Amino acid sequence: MRNEQRLRTRTPESRAFAERVHLVMSLTSRLNVLPFDDLDARRTVLTEIFGGPVPESLSVLPPFYCDYGLGASFGERVFINQGCFFLDYGGGGITIADRVLIGPRVTLSTAGHPVELDERYDFITHAPHRHRG
Protein backbone atom coordinates (compact mmCIF):
# COMPACT_ATOMS: atom_id res chain seq x y z
CA MET A 1 0.00 0.00 0.00
CA ARG A 2 1.46 3.39 -0.96
CA ASN A 3 2.29 5.74 1.93
CA GLU A 4 1.22 3.00 4.33
CA GLN A 5 1.48 3.61 8.02
CA ARG A 6 0.71 1.10 10.71
CA LEU A 7 -1.35 1.56 13.82
CA ARG A 8 -0.42 -0.88 16.56
CA THR A 9 -3.43 -2.60 18.08
CA ARG A 10 -4.19 -2.51 21.82
CA THR A 11 -3.04 1.12 22.19
CA PRO A 12 -4.85 4.36 23.04
CA GLU A 13 -4.65 5.29 19.33
CA SER A 14 -6.23 2.04 18.18
CA ARG A 15 -8.94 2.42 20.82
CA ALA A 16 -9.67 5.94 19.50
CA PHE A 17 -9.88 4.49 15.99
CA ALA A 18 -12.29 1.78 17.17
CA GLU A 19 -14.43 4.41 18.93
CA ARG A 20 -14.57 6.49 15.72
CA VAL A 21 -15.64 3.41 13.73
CA HIS A 22 -18.36 2.66 16.28
CA LEU A 23 -19.59 6.28 16.12
CA VAL A 24 -19.67 6.36 12.31
CA MET A 25 -21.46 3.03 12.07
CA SER A 26 -24.05 4.36 14.53
CA LEU A 27 -24.40 7.51 12.45
CA THR A 28 -24.87 5.54 9.22
CA SER A 29 -27.56 3.48 10.94
CA ARG A 30 -29.32 6.72 11.86
CA LEU A 31 -28.89 8.07 8.31
CA ASN A 32 -30.42 4.96 6.79
CA VAL A 33 -33.66 5.16 8.78
CA LEU A 34 -34.38 8.86 8.15
CA PRO A 35 -37.42 9.67 6.03
CA PHE A 36 -36.20 9.81 2.43
CA ASP A 37 -37.37 13.41 1.94
CA ASP A 38 -35.74 14.78 5.12
CA LEU A 39 -32.78 16.32 3.29
CA ASP A 40 -31.81 18.65 6.17
CA ALA A 41 -31.47 15.77 8.63
CA ARG A 42 -29.55 13.75 6.04
CA ARG A 43 -27.10 16.64 5.53
CA THR A 44 -26.65 17.01 9.29
CA VAL A 45 -25.80 13.33 9.72
CA LEU A 46 -23.46 13.36 6.70
CA THR A 47 -21.63 16.33 8.24
CA GLU A 48 -21.11 14.27 11.41
CA ILE A 49 -20.01 11.20 9.45
CA PHE A 50 -17.45 13.12 7.42
CA GLY A 51 -16.25 15.30 10.28
CA GLY A 52 -17.16 18.66 8.79
CA PRO A 53 -19.14 20.49 6.15
CA VAL A 54 -19.89 18.72 2.88
CA PRO A 55 -20.74 20.54 -0.36
CA GLU A 56 -24.37 21.62 -0.62
CA SER A 57 -24.46 19.90 -4.00
CA LEU A 58 -23.46 16.47 -2.57
CA SER A 59 -26.26 13.93 -2.97
CA VAL A 60 -26.05 10.63 -1.06
CA LEU A 61 -29.00 8.26 -1.41
CA PRO A 62 -29.49 5.87 1.48
CA PRO A 63 -28.74 3.26 2.39
CA PHE A 64 -25.12 4.37 2.70
CA TYR A 65 -22.38 2.77 4.78
CA CYS A 66 -19.07 4.16 5.99
CA ASP A 67 -16.57 2.96 8.57
CA TYR A 68 -14.46 6.02 9.41
CA GLY A 69 -15.57 9.13 7.52
CA LEU A 70 -12.60 11.40 8.19
CA GLY A 71 -10.73 10.01 5.18
CA ALA A 72 -13.35 11.00 2.58
CA SER A 73 -13.67 14.29 0.71
CA PHE A 74 -16.00 15.46 -2.04
CA GLY A 75 -16.05 17.91 -4.91
CA GLU A 76 -19.10 19.75 -6.18
CA ARG A 77 -22.15 18.04 -7.73
CA VAL A 78 -21.27 14.51 -6.58
CA PHE A 79 -24.04 11.92 -6.70
CA ILE A 80 -23.78 8.65 -4.72
CA ASN A 81 -26.51 6.13 -5.44
CA GLN A 82 -28.07 3.64 -3.01
CA GLY A 83 -26.21 0.92 -1.19
CA CYS A 84 -22.66 2.31 -1.40
CA PHE A 85 -19.88 1.44 1.06
CA PHE A 86 -16.95 3.76 1.84
CA LEU A 87 -14.13 2.15 3.84
CA ASP A 88 -11.92 5.22 3.98
CA TYR A 89 -9.37 4.73 6.76
CA GLY A 90 -6.38 3.51 4.76
CA GLY A 91 -4.48 4.13 1.57
CA GLY A 92 -4.87 7.89 1.32
CA GLY A 93 -8.59 8.01 1.93
CA ILE A 94 -11.26 8.50 -0.69
CA THR A 95 -11.32 11.69 -2.76
CA ILE A 96 -14.27 12.20 -5.10
CA ALA A 97 -13.77 14.98 -7.66
CA ASP A 98 -16.38 17.37 -9.08
CA ARG A 99 -19.33 15.95 -11.02
CA VAL A 100 -18.66 12.29 -10.20
CA LEU A 101 -21.61 9.89 -10.35
CA ILE A 102 -21.29 6.70 -8.30
CA GLY A 103 -23.63 3.85 -9.15
CA PRO A 104 -25.61 1.68 -6.76
CA ARG A 105 -23.88 -0.89 -4.55
CA VAL A 106 -20.36 0.41 -5.23
CA THR A 107 -17.67 -0.25 -2.62
CA LEU A 108 -14.68 2.08 -2.34
CA SER A 109 -12.19 0.55 0.06
CA THR A 110 -8.79 1.78 1.18
CA ALA A 111 -8.67 -0.15 4.47
CA GLY A 112 -6.24 -2.96 5.00
CA HIS A 113 -4.14 -4.98 7.36
CA PRO A 114 -0.74 -6.66 7.17
CA VAL A 115 -0.85 -9.98 5.38
CA GLU A 116 2.11 -11.57 7.18
CA LEU A 117 0.63 -13.95 9.73
CA ASP A 118 2.88 -12.84 12.60
CA GLU A 119 1.84 -9.18 12.07
CA ARG A 120 -1.81 -9.60 11.07
CA TYR A 121 -3.32 -9.15 14.52
CA ASP A 122 -0.88 -6.53 15.77
CA PHE A 123 -1.40 -3.71 13.26
CA ILE A 124 -3.98 -1.88 11.17
CA THR A 125 -2.60 -0.20 8.05
CA HIS A 126 -3.62 3.32 7.11
CA ALA A 127 -2.48 6.34 5.20
CA PRO A 128 -1.09 9.50 6.79
CA HIS A 129 -3.99 11.46 8.27
CA ARG A 130 -5.24 14.52 6.44
CA HIS A 131 -6.20 17.46 8.57
CA ARG A 132 -9.57 19.02 8.00
CA GLY A 133 -9.84 22.74 8.18
Side-chain angles (χ1 to χ4, degrees), residues 47-129:
T47 297
E48 292 179 66
I49 289 170
F50 297 119
V54 295
E56 286 291 322
S57 60
L58 174 64
S59 181
V60 177
L61 299 186
F64 175 78
Y65 306 94
C66 186
D67 70 342
Y68 188 68
L70 301 179
S73 62
F74 303 92
E76 295 294 329
R77 298 180 66 186
V78 170
F79 175 82
I80 301 170
N81 213 322
Q82 297 176 337
C84 287
F85 291 78
F86 279 28
L87 307 177
D88 62 316
Y89 185 65
I94 297 169
T95 301
I96 309 296
D98 292 345
R99 297 177 174 242
V100 171
L101 307 174
I102 297 176
R105 300 184 66 180
V106 169
T107 298
L108 301 176
S109 179
T110 64
H113 58 80
V115 294
E116 296 297 323
L117 185 58
D118 60 340
E119 296 179 355
R120 190 173 304 161
Y121 300 103
D122 294 329
F123 295 96
I124 300 168
T125 58
H126 65 91
H129 292 284

Side-chain angles (χ1 to χ4, degrees), residues 12-55:
E13 294 82 11
S14 67
R15 282 188 285 285
F17 165 74
E19 289 169 5
R20 175 69 190 171
V21 168
H22 185 268
L23 171 65
V24 171
M25 289 188 171
S26 295
L27 290 168
T28 58
S29 290
R30 188 171 5 146
L31 174 75
N32 293 334
V33 297
L34 288 171
F36 184 77
D37 57 351
D38 193 346
L39 300 179
D40 290 336
R42 193 183 315 170
R43 176 154 311 283
T44 297
V45 175
L46 288 171
T47 297
E48 292 179 66
I49 289 170
F50 297 119
V54 295

